[in-house]
Amino acid sequence: MPVMQFIEAVRETLRDEMRRDERVFVMGEDVGRRGGVFRATQGLIDEFGEERVIDTPLTESAIVGVGIGAALTGMRPVCEIQFADFIWPAMNQIISEAARMRYRSNGDWFVPMVIRAPFGGGVHGGLYHSQSVEAHFAHSPGLKIVVPSTPYDVRGLLRSAIRDDDPVLFFEHKGLYRAARGEVPEGDYTIPIGKADVKRDGTDITVFSYGKTLHFCLEAAEQVAHEGISAMVVDLRSLRPLDEETILRAAARTGKVLIVHEDNAFMGIGAEVAALIAERVLFELDAPVMRLCGPEIPAMPYSAPLEKAYMLSPEKVAAKMRELAAF
């Protein structure tokens, strides 16, 4: 099987879907000749032209608003928000219009649109280029929230997102763009939105994560394995809908649960996963559900030492795994 970088998986999936369906087009700031700030759309304009690879003004509310309008008329737009940090001006369009269109029209209208947004820190981007925004949107019914962690998952999940009849927010951790590589099958495969994936089996503790921290968890699991701790690592992949069946089964299998994400803990994705486990499989647990998340401060520091202190790491995750295993 061919090996791809994460960013290549994004680009080639967009290319495949644009070839497959003439209704698919991409729009966003600098997505044309420049190929996007991370080069996710590099070269697409040469094949599909300016009518399907559309450079927009620096106006996120307009990018999403135009996307909603196009989706309502039968197109399948893929809107790129240059950094997830810039998505706030479009929040009203996303939540008040895209998320609610099917409900408010009693199913007569729907919004088949994807919004791609690079998120996360650890790349020296400072407070306006490092935010984790996924929990803000996962709270809203009507949206699907996807966070892939491998090139394989990017290919399968982005195809599913583009072919979905409802709005999908597709968050890509920018720290994985060129750091994550992996085999991807040839051919037109999809991964259903709403399905988690057990990336590593284990019997002593269960760890849930997504995005870049999923890789930290896998590295940490290898570290603690040498100490006799067997860690199961589950990639949530889809934050809304959550794969409740896989989460509950994995939690009950080991009885000890750790949830890891880069976003801060308060009202985050981990809180929802912890509540689900407490409500449904409490008596299967042997320890309190633990979380390891970003610190409770307003933004990512620009200072390199402070940024390093903010970010999680395999060593931090391994230390928390040991604490949970010893409970």
Side-chain angles (χ1 to χ4, degrees), residues 22-255:
E22 292 185 351
R23 299 172 299 171
V24 178
F25 69 96
V26 300
M27 59 186 299
E29 298 156 5
D30 296 325
V31 299
R33 291 297 170 197
R34 182 170 171 78
V37 68
F38 293 104
R39 307 295 188 267
T41 56
Q42 190 172 39
L44 297 183
I45 196 169
D46 296 326
E47 180 172 352
F48 301 104
E50 295 180 349
E51 292 188 353
R52 295 183 67 194
V53 183
I54 302 172
D55 276 327
T56 68
L58 304 180
T59 313
E60 284 73 19
S61 60
I63 294 170
V64 173
V66 170
I68 293 170
L72 289 172
T73 58
M75 303 297 287
R76 291 189 174 264
V78 179
C79 300
E80 179 179 292
I81 302 296
Q82 203 166 59
F83 289 85
D85 316 60
F86 304 164
I87 204 169
W88 307 122
M91 197 160 187
N92 184 50
Q93 297 277 13
I94 296 170
I95 293 178
S96 295
E97 306 299 338
R100 295 171 177 167
M101 187 63 69
R102 184 184 287 277
Y103 183 81
R104 69 188 284 199
S105 68
N106 198 27
D108 290 339
W109 294 83
F110 51 94
V111 180
M113 176 176 69
V114 176
I115 300 172
R116 294 182 40 251
F119 79 106
V123 294
H124 309 299
L127 75 168
Y128 289 122
H129 300 82
S130 302
Q131 296 175 41
S132 295
V133 305
E134 61 274 16
H136 295 269
F137 296 97
H139 178 71
S140 296
L143 298 176
K144 295 177 180 176
I145 314 296
V146 175
V147 187
S149 63
T150 67
Y152 173 86
D153 289 345
V154 167
R155 296 281 273 166
L157 287 167
L158 186 53
R159 286 191 182 109
S160 293
I162 292 172
R163 299 174 192 182
D164 200 290
D165 283 338
D166 289 307
V168 180
L169 272 69
F170 201 85
F171 290 115
E172 302 156 8
H173 197 294
K174 63 180 77 73
L176 296 177
Y177 273 150
R178 288 174 173 77
R181 299 173 60 86
E183 292 184 336
V184 292
E186 295 180 346
D188 184 23
Y189 72 93
T190 60
I191 297 173
I193 294 173
K195 292 294 183 185
D197 186 40
V198 178
K199 290 286 198 282
R200 187 183 195 282
D201 200 5
T203 56
D204 295 328
I205 62 174
T206 299
V207 185
F208 297 102
S209 191
Y210 56 90
K212 186 174 181 178
T213 53
L214 184 281
H215 294 270
F216 294 163
C217 295
L218 290 170
E219 289 185 46
E222 289 299 317
Q223 291 182 27
V224 300
H226 298 295
E227 304 162 23
I229 301 172
S230 174
M232 175 189 293
V233 179
V234 180
D235 186 356
L236 294 176
R237 299 198 298 198
S238 169
L239 306 184
R240 187 150 193 161
L242 276 174
D243 185 351
E244 296 185 1
E245 181 180 354
T246 297
I247 291 170
L248 296 173
R249 185 171 58 244
R253 174 171 162 77
T254 67

